[in-house]
Amino acid sequence: MTGSADSPLSPATGPGTLVLAGTPIGDVADAPPRLAAELAGADVVAAEDTRRLRRLTQALGVQVGGRVVSYFEGNEAARTPELVEALAGGARVLLVTDAGMPSVSDPGYRLVAAAVERDIRVTAVPGPSAVLTALALSGLPVDRFCFEGFLPRKAGERLSRLREAAEERRTMVYFESPRRLDDTLAAMAEAFGDERRAAVCRELTKTYEEIRRGTLKELAEWAAPGDVRGEITVVVAGAPDKDPGALGPDQLVRLVRVREEAGERRKEAIAAVAAEVGLPKREVFDAVVAAKNAAGNAAGGS
């Protein structure tokens, strides 16, 4: 592989192009055919990890023709203007991350936004995606889904974020560190309920690929020893559709409380829940007031 990891960039002439290239998430044979051509032909290759890039190019049997620079979380903000100037000067800049598509929980968003702001062409070499692969293998509904990325590391912030998503009806996809998987699954069971269906996808497309499906309680118990290893993607079923006639006062109060804990004012939370479940606001309001009165009476009688 030619080039220096931190060489200064010299712009070319004419319009430049930013190319986001997907890289294998496990099996190198999954690399898109165009990737090799882009690696060989780019003026600049910005890589999240230049050592991993070297291993990838060796596996593909390709030699990088342009300059190689590092572009990772620690230098993304500082290096973006440099890359934008190269693009503005006519360079073809190829952005690759360690695995999957740049800017999806990986460096890239800042550079794309800056390039778009300068009216620089942005295109992509589509490739493997841990999000879509895990979703397809999960056995959960795939007609509507949302990607939630990594959860906060602190337990309280993590649980709060999950409670905000407790009533999300779309299938949800999360990335997680194997070191925190046991705590995350336990928090998901607390926020979403023990019986919510989910799948833990480990080491996708690699030798020891494993898809573990079950309820959140079952998966939390499986991960509890804390010895799960590898790259982890968690897929969680969305909340079931609600039958307004089946929701009692306790359920209505819980839905309001979830929204209040997420920062909504009580009046707004009541209105949102009423609209969500198809009930009059007065009915939800009465349930909340009744619960408050009941709690006050219980406290006064103890």
Side-chain angles (χ1 to χ4, degrees):
M1 184 172 68
T2 63
S4 170
D6 291 291
S7 300
L9 305 179
S10 55
T13 58
T17 300
L18 173 61
V19 183
L20 310 180
T23 54
I25 59 176
D27 192 335
V28 72
D30 293 334
R34 282 174 51 205
L35 178 59
E38 290 289 350
L39 286 166
D43 299 303
V44 181
V45 177
E48 183 177 10
D49 187 327
T50 57
R51 293 166 299 180
R52 290 200 181 193
L53 173 64
R54 184 175 294 109
R55 291 196 292 270
L56 176 62
T57 56
Q58 289 173 346
L60 295 177
V62 63
Q63 186 168 351
V64 175
R67 299 181 185 274
V68 174
V69 299
S70 61
Y71 189 76
F72 59 98
E73 185 178 2
N75 73 355
E76 186 177 2
R79 176 139 286 168
T80 292
E82 180 184 359
L83 292 173
V84 171
E85 288 309 310
L87 286 162
R92 189 173 185 86
V93 176
L94 178 68
L95 178 61
V96 293
T97 54
D98 292 347
M101 181 60 66
S103 82
V104 181
S105 279
D106 276 327
Y109 168 74
R110 282 189 179 92
L111 183 55
V112 172
V116 170
E117 181 69 20
R118 294 281 293 270
D119 290 325
I120 294 168
R121 180 172 180 259
V122 181
T123 187
V125 177
S129 164
V131 175
L132 297 181
T133 302
L135 187 69
L137 295 176
S138 69
L140 298 172
V142 298
D143 54 331
R144 298 178 66 223
F145 70 92
C146 57
F147 175 56
E148 295 291 325
F150 284 96
L151 288 164
R153 296 185 179 187
K154 294 182 179 180
E157 294 176 4
R158 180 170 57 233
L159 184 58
S160 177
R161 178 78 61 81
L162 290 170
R163 282 174 172 163
E164 291 176 13
E167 304 306 322
E168 172 61 64
R169 298 188 188 184
R170 295 171 294 180
T171 298
M172 296 167 282
V173 184
Y174 295 88
F175 287 160
E176 190 51 281
S177 161
R179 296 187 301 276
R180 294 189 295 272
L181 180 62
D182 52 345
D183 292 334
T184 291
L185 289 171
M188 286 178 169
E190 179 178 346
F192 300 155
D194 287 344
E195 300 306 309
R196 184 80 69 89
R197 304 293 299 180
V200 175
C201 303
R202 187 179 72 85
E203 294 289 87
L204 288 170
T205 78
K206 299 179 183 177
T207 302
Y208 298 103
E209 177 181 278
E210 178 182 17
I211 315 297
R212 178 78 60 158
R213 304 175 183 87
T215 65
L216 283 171
K217 179 181 180 181
E218 292 168 342
L219 292 173
E221 291 173 348
W222 162 73
D227 56 1
V228 179
R229 297 290 180 265
E231 299 288 336
I232 303 293
T233 305
V234 180
V235 186
V236 184
D241 291 337
K242 299 178 182 67
D243 176 3
L247 289 178
D250 290 344
Q251 288 92 342
L252 295 175
V253 171
R254 177 178 175 275
L255 293 177
V256 171
R257 186 174 297 123
V258 166
R259 288 181 172 273
E260 285 185 297
E261 290 175 350
E264 289 188 19
R265 296 166 54 185
R266 177 164 294 179
K267 181 178 180 181
E268 296 167 345
I270 289 173
V273 169
E276 182 180 358
V277 302
L279 289 175
K281 283 190 289 186
R282 169 56 64 179
E283 189 168 338
V284 180
F285 174 80
D286 288 345
V288 172
V289 171
K292 181 180 179 180
N293 292 338
N297 292 336
S302 59

